[in-house]
Amino acid sequence: MSAGCAVVIGASGGIGGAFADALDEEGTHAKVWRFGRSLAGDAHLDLTDEASIAAAAARVASGPPLSLVFVATGILGEGERGPEKALRDLDPDWLARVFAINTIGPALVAKHFLPLLPRTGTPVFAALSARVGSISDNRLGGWHGYRASKAALNMLIRNFAIDAARRNDRSIVVALHPGTVDTRLSEPFRGTVAPGKLFDPERAALQLLDVIEGLKPVDSGKCFAWDGVEIPA
């Protein structure tokens, strides 16, 4: 990943901002592009607005070659609304909102940014997923929309890996689980986190960057945790 530029989608969030900072400090990319919903001007990108995603991709296409895209977005709760604990909590509007951010948004980012990856080298497209998106590892149930949206994202990552390999068989497309990170997303659930397992955004970003830097083309289409261990589908 030493050549070209990097793109961070969700750079206004805790993990995304820390990841972009880590890339800047590393200094191995020609440029680090930051996009996010809370950023102004040309850096503004709303996952629910495809036009803003396309505009961001057009900006990146005019710059140095692209070597890394990191999608650091996600939603678990919003306002008073949290993840469902029972069937009676299912709500179609909330399900649509969760899928719009966790699944459809990253898919649209892939639609516009994957074609920008070079046909040579080992470019990486990575999106934040979650361990609870693993179907085979689901023992507790609940959190219906979040689990399902992340499972769907993991399937799309597999699809996108296959598509990307047709252009460049050394490209890498993966989903990443950051662990429990001290951000607004995890705030209501920190009391259940084991000691030493709540990561600050800076540590989480460095751990994810280490995982990305250790990836090989054979890893494309898979989901990996913050410690580099593959998460089953």
Side-chain angles (χ1 to χ4, degrees), residues 76-77 83 183-192:
L76 176 58
T183 63
R184 283 181 296 175
L185 184 145
S186 68
E187 187 172 357
F189 313 101
R190 292 172 192 167
T192 63

Side-chain angles (χ1 to χ4, degrees), residues 141-231:
W143 290 26
H144 304 300
Y146 188 72
R147 285 184 184 273
S149 65
K150 291 298 188 179
L153 174 61
N154 292 347
M155 175 59 79
L156 287 171
I157 288 294
R158 178 59 180 161
N159 279 353
F160 298 154
I162 294 169
D163 287 344
R166 296 186 178 118
R167 298 183 71 253
N168 177 357
D169 62 7
R170 292 192 58 77
S171 62
I172 300 171
V173 181
V174 294
L176 298 175
H177 167 58
T180 304
V181 184
D182 189 5
T183 63
R184 283 181 296 175
L185 184 145
S186 68
E187 187 172 357
F189 313 101
R190 292 172 192 167
T192 63
V193 180
K197 294 298 184 181
L198 178 64
F199 306 133
D200 61 63
E202 292 73 23
R203 177 179 172 183
L206 291 174
Q207 290 172 163
L208 292 173
L209 189 55
D210 284 344
V211 173
I212 290 172
E213 291 178 341
L215 293 172
K216 298 178 176 59
V218 70
D219 297 320
S220 193
K222 300 176 181 178
C223 180
F224 293 92
W226 58 271
D227 56 1
V229 176
E230 181 182 350
I231 297 174

Side-chain angles (χ1 to χ4, degrees), residues 77-122:
E78 195 169 56
E80 297 299 316
R81 180 61 120 162
E84 310 93 341
K85 297 180 180 180
L87 283 172
R88 63 178 176 273
D89 297 328
L90 286 172
D91 175 78
D93 291 335
W94 177 243
L95 285 172
R97 173 67 173 165
V98 171
F99 270 82
I101 301 301
N102 290 344
T103 311
I104 299 171
L108 293 175
V109 172
K111 172 185 175 180
H112 291 281
F113 280 87
L114 278 178
L116 303 183
L117 296 183
R119 293 181 179 271
T120 59
T122 311

